[in-house]
Amino acid sequence: MAFTSITTATFIFLLLLLASTHASNEVENNEPMLTDMGMGRQKLTRFRVYWHDTVSGSNPTSIQIVPPPLKSGFGQVRMIDNLLTTGPELSSKTVGRAQGFYALASLGDISLFMSMNFEFVGGKYNGSTITVQGRNPVFDKVREMPVIGGSGLFRFARGYVEARTQWFDLKTGDACVEYNVYVLHY
């Protein structure tokens, strides 16, 4: 008999617990959705910048921090603090910097893993950033990489970039890449 009483008491306890959990869920479900957060509608911003990778000279913006263990170059890692400008000429107006790293991450082709922040230093995006991270098969005409976040005017950013090489100097290793940015943000 004692076993039956404990089972009945346990059953009643579980029913009361379930009822109170259901009641508290109803209160939570009546609260505003967290996805809006009072920030309004998302905007789509599109812009173009030119990324200057300077490997040569006395003031490089891209330096090797991990040498390649293989002759293919696989495993090489470079840290960058590259200029972002309004045009493909290095003398174009500077709008920011691309800071991060890239690594040769493919044994089969020349593909980089890139992780970088575009930090904007002027105009309406001053102090804001977007984060680009993804695979960059450098010999493809157009490469697409995701925008995975941002700060400032680009909080909660998501989107993508399209990269197109403007020029690459085989002798020095210097390059200029056009980045078309498509970013959703609040």
Side-chain angles (χ1 to χ4, degrees), residues 90-158:
L90 197 52
S91 60
S92 300
K93 181 181 175 188
T94 298
V95 293
R97 302 201 70 94
Q99 298 171 328
F101 69 92
Y102 61 83
L104 188 53
S106 175
L107 285 168
D109 62 356
I110 306 297
S111 288
L112 303 174
F113 169 74
M114 303 193 73
S115 183
M116 59 187 165
N117 290 314
F118 285 5
E119 173 202 23
F120 299 99
V121 295
K124 74 183 207 180
Y125 305 132
N126 186 31
S128 299
T129 66
I130 62 168
T131 302
V132 176
Q133 185 173 346
R135 183 175 189 268
N136 183 355
V138 295
F139 290 121
D140 287 2
K141 184 177 178 180
V142 179
R143 289 93 65 196
E144 184 176 308
M145 291 171 277
V147 171
I148 62 168
S151 67
L153 290 176
F154 296 118
R155 286 185 189 112
F156 296 103
R158 59 190 168 108

Side-chain angles (χ1 to χ4, degrees), residues 6 11 17 19 28 50 52 103 135 137 158 161:
I6 292 173
F11 179 74
L17 182 63
E28 289 174 16
Y50 292 86
H52 297 274
R135 183 175 189 268
R158 59 190 168 108
V161 297

Side-chain angles (χ1 to χ4, degrees), residues 17-120:
L17 182 63
L18 182 62
S20 69
T21 303
H22 180 70
S24 68
N25 281 343
E26 286 181 17
V27 171
E28 289 174 16
N29 289 337
N30 289 331
E31 292 179 9
M33 296 273 302
L34 291 179
T35 56
D36 181 348
M37 291 185 275
M39 296 190 316
R41 297 182 55 139
Q42 282 191 322
K43 302 172 202 103
L44 173 63
T45 298
R46 183 202 176 279
F47 57 90
R48 175 180 300 137
V49 293
Y50 292 86
W51 181 89
H52 297 274
D53 196 39
T54 306
V55 176
S56 66
S58 60
N59 196 19
T61 62
S62 174
I63 60 166
Q64 181 176 277
I65 58 170
V66 177
L70 303 174
K71 288 183 183 188
S72 67
F74 176 71
Q76 178 186 71
V77 180
R78 299 187 77 81
M79 189 63 62
I80 62 168
D81 188 6
N82 292 344
L83 282 177
L84 297 173
T85 64
T86 58
E89 300 80 22
L90 197 52
S91 60
S92 300
K93 181 181 175 188
T94 298
V95 293
R97 302 201 70 94
Q99 298 171 328
F101 69 92
Y102 61 83
L104 188 53
S106 175
L107 285 168
D109 62 356
I110 306 297
S111 288
L112 303 174
F113 169 74
M114 303 193 73
S115 183
M116 59 187 165
N117 290 314
F118 285 5
E119 173 202 23
F120 299 99

